């Protein structure tokens, strides 16, 4: 887990710690996933495009033709966009979405249980593991999430819903409310 | 409850992760068509009691549109397939016929 200063809001009153991260630099990329384009993305990012429904080295598979790129520390979204634009020789779109997204950390042994309250996804330890990436809904909010470790989940949603999402997560993480089904 | 498999991202999702887009494989008519043809395209739907072909969108997932064949009575899903087609794939039709020999596709 990153250092405490990287969070704008933290609630530790529940069974799972809920924290809202400060602005996380990220870039959304859309392009046809042809072989040359995938090779170009690898050259631009220094890491291959992830397999469907996974996240690897800070690059998440959002759709067959869309990826979400966490900008590596010490780099800027503009630099990443510049490299992608220079390498990909096909119609493409790379946009800085840092201000359009909110990012949350759930930390605790029952982090899975918090998500399982609102997402129609099999979150059992055999079905969803670190490295897996899932876009779905949590309550009525469109989200994407993945596991950093067995006891830590990162969740992304639209920034316009960040306070609602934070409150939802804090409520769902309340003590004695997580059934340990998973 | 329906469980649909998105053919684009491979997710087997529960119904509420998707959005129904109505009857599939409509033939669009536009400028120059007769009023009767346009009315049929715009308003008239088969709505059979049985096998239906529908458009669905993976709205909370990859965002892609796709097609699904299911039974409107039992909610059995026979399969999902690409949006880039104007008719259901032959193997899916064969699968439905094998399961429902009495089925007659409504013209
Ligand atoms: Zn999908």
């Amino acid at each position: 887990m990153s250092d405490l200063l990287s969070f704008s809001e933290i609630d530790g009153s529940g069974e799972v710690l809920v924290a809202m991260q400060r602005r996380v630099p990220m870039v959304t990329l859309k392009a046809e996933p042809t072989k040359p384009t995938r090779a170009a993305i690898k050259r631009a990012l220094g890491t291959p495009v992830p397999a469907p429904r996974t996240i690897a080295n800070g690059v998440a598979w959002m759709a067959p033709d869309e990826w979400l790129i966490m900008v590596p520390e010490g780099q800027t979204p503009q630099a990443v966009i510049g490299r992608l634009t220079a390498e990909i020789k096909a119609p493409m779109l790379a946009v800085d979405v840092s201000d359009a997204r909110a990012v949350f950390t759930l930390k605790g042994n029952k982090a899975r249980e918090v998500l399982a309250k609102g997402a129609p996804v099999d979150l059992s330890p055999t079905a969803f593991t670190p490295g897996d990436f899932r876009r779905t809904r949590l309550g009525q909010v469109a989200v994407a999430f993945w596991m950093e470790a067995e006891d830590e989940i990162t969740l992304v949603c639209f920034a316009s819903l960040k306070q609602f999402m934070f409150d939802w997560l804090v409520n769902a993480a309340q003590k004695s409310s997580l059934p340990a089904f998973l | 409850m329906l469980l649909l498999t998105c053919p684009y991202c491979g997710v087997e999702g529960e119904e509420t992760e998707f959005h129904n887009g109505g009857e599939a494989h409509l033939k669009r008519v536009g400028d120059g068509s007769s009023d009767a043809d346009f009315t049929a395209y715009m308003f008239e739907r088969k709505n059979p009691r049985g096998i239906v072909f529908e458009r669905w969108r993976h709205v909370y997932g990859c965002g892609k549109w796709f097609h699904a064949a299911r039974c409107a009575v039992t909610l059995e899903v026979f399969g999902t397939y690409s949006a880039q087609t104007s008719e259901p794939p032959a193997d899916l039709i064969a699968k439905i016929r094998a399961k429902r020999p009495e089925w007659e596709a409504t013209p």
Side-chain angles (χ1 to χ4, degrees):
Chain A
M1 197 158 102
S2 353
D3 128 19
L4 285 181
L5 288 173
S6 58
F7 299 109
S8 59
E9 222 171 322
I10 300 182
D11 187 298
S13 65
E15 213 161 338
V16 170
L17 183 88
V18 178
M20 192 196 294
Q21 295 187 25
R22 290 191 196 282
R23 191 175 186 277
V24 178
M26 56 178 97
V27 168
T28 242
L29 170 65
K30 286 206 87 159
E32 275 297 315
T34 59
K35 219 174 165 188
T37 295
R38 281 183 286 139
I41 296 171
K42 188 180 172 184
R43 285 195 301 276
L45 303 178
T47 175
V49 295
R53 306 185 305 281
T54 68
I55 180 168
N57 305 316
V59 183
W61 189 92
M62 295 288 276
D65 54 0
E66 184 182 343
W67 300 271
L68 185 65
I69 300 152
M70 309 296 154
V71 176
E73 212 150 317
Q75 296 184 28
T76 63
Q78 287 67 33
V80 172
I81 293 169
R83 289 205 304 278
L84 287 165
T85 310
E87 290 286 357
I88 301 173
K89 310 288 183 216
M92 53 85 74
L93 185 70
V95 179
D96 178 359
V97 292
S98 315
D99 291 313
R101 302 279 185 273
V103 183
F104 300 88
T105 293
L106 302 175
K107 178 95 175 155
N109 289 331
K110 289 185 178 174
R112 292 171 180 276
E113 304 273 351
V114 177
L115 292 189
K117 283 189 181 184
V121 176
D122 184 353
L123 286 161
S124 60
T126 46
F128 196 77
T129 56
D132 287 344
F133 180 89
R134 186 66 148 82
R135 285 178 84 177
T136 183
R137 63 179 181 85
L138 189 64
Q140 289 155 305
V141 179
V143 298
F145 52 72
W146 64 97
M147 305 192 77
E148 307 282 359
E150 194 46 50
D151 65 345
E152 185 177 334
I153 289 168
T154 304
L155 179 137
V156 179
C157 75
F158 286 118
S160 54
L161 293 159
K162 67 182 179 186
Q163 195 59 49
F164 175 84
M165 194 79 273
F166 183 78
D167 296 343
W168 192 100
L169 290 166
V170 168
N171 183 51
Q174 277 177 43
K175 286 210 164 85
S176 310
S177 79
L178 300 173
F181 279 146
L182 299 172
Chain B
M1 185 175 78
L2 288 172
L3 291 176
L4 298 170
T5 300
C6 171
Y8 291 95
C9 64
V11 160
E12 190 195 32
E14 184 257 352
E15 186 178 342
T16 59
E17 200 170 298
F18 301 90
H19 181 78
N20 183 287
E23 186 177 314
H25 310 306
L26 296 178
K27 190 159 180 283
R28 178 180 283 268
V29 299
D31 280 353
S33 63
S34 71
D35 284 357
D37 284 349
F38 189 79
T39 302
Y41 155 66
M42 196 71 191
F43 300 111
E44 289 169 15
R45 297 293 177 264
K46 291 174 191 156
N47 197 24
R49 185 176 182 277
I51 314 296
V52 292
F53 296 88
E54 293 171 317
R55 300 173 74 228
W56 285 83
R57 183 172 174 239
H58 195 183
V59 62
Y60 281 109
C62 67
K64 302 292 181 196
W65 283 96
F66 61 95
H67 287 122
R70 68 178 178 105
C71 176
V73 179
T74 65
L75 301 192
E76 177 178 4
V77 177
F78 300 101
T80 55
Y81 51 101
S82 159
Q84 280 75 37
T85 176
S86 53
E87 58 185 31
D91 58 337
L92 182 61
I93 296 287
K95 187 178 165 190
I96 299 173
R97 283 202 199 287
K99 286 188 163 183
R100 304 285 178 94
E102 77 290 356
W103 174 55
E104 283 174 42
T106 39

